Amino acid sequence: MVHTVTGMELDTIASLSNSVHLTFFGICLGALVAFGIVLSTSQITEPLTYSAYVSLLAVSLIGTSYFGLRGVIDYREARRKVNDLKLGKQ
């Protein structure tokens, strides 16, 4: 079955594919900022609580890096595929 697809529809399809990684990037970035603010502005005296915040900060940093990188890679791949389709390449 063959369907006619316009360039605008291809752009819409390509932009939807990387939204999951960008969503998790935003969540992790928000958590990174929140845990960073807590660690920099409050005096946490209990070692277990302090280590929990540091661990959560590290996990948020790793998640932010991973999902940010995956979002950029997915965006570039989607743009490349759409451009190839628009130019008639397979």
Side-chain angles (χ1 to χ4, degrees):
M1 185 180 300
V2 177
H3 297 281
T4 304
V5 180
T6 65
M8 184 183 295
E9 291 169 334
L10 286 174
D11 291 336
T12 302
I13 291 169
S15 68
L16 295 176
S17 66
N18 59 0
S19 64
V20 172
H21 288 119
L22 294 179
T23 300
F24 284 115
F25 169 73
I27 292 169
C28 289
L29 183 62
L32 179 70
V33 170
F35 294 132
I37 288 172
V38 168
L39 285 172
S40 66
T41 60
S42 64
Q43 297 296 329
I44 302 172
T45 56
E46 293 187 31
L48 184 60
T49 305
Y50 181 77
S51 63
Y53 276 107
V54 170
S55 299
L56 290 170
L57 181 76
V59 168
S60 299
L61 178 64
I62 292 168
T64 301
S65 301
Y66 175 76
F67 289 118
L69 183 63
R70 287 301 311 169
V72 168
I73 290 170
D74 288 347
Y75 176 77
R76 287 184 177 175
E77 183 68 21
R79 297 289 352 148
R80 187 187 62 77
K81 285 181 182 178
V82 168
N83 287 337
D84 287 349
L85 286 172
K86 285 180 181 179
L87 295 174
K89 297 179 184 175
Q90 298 269 333

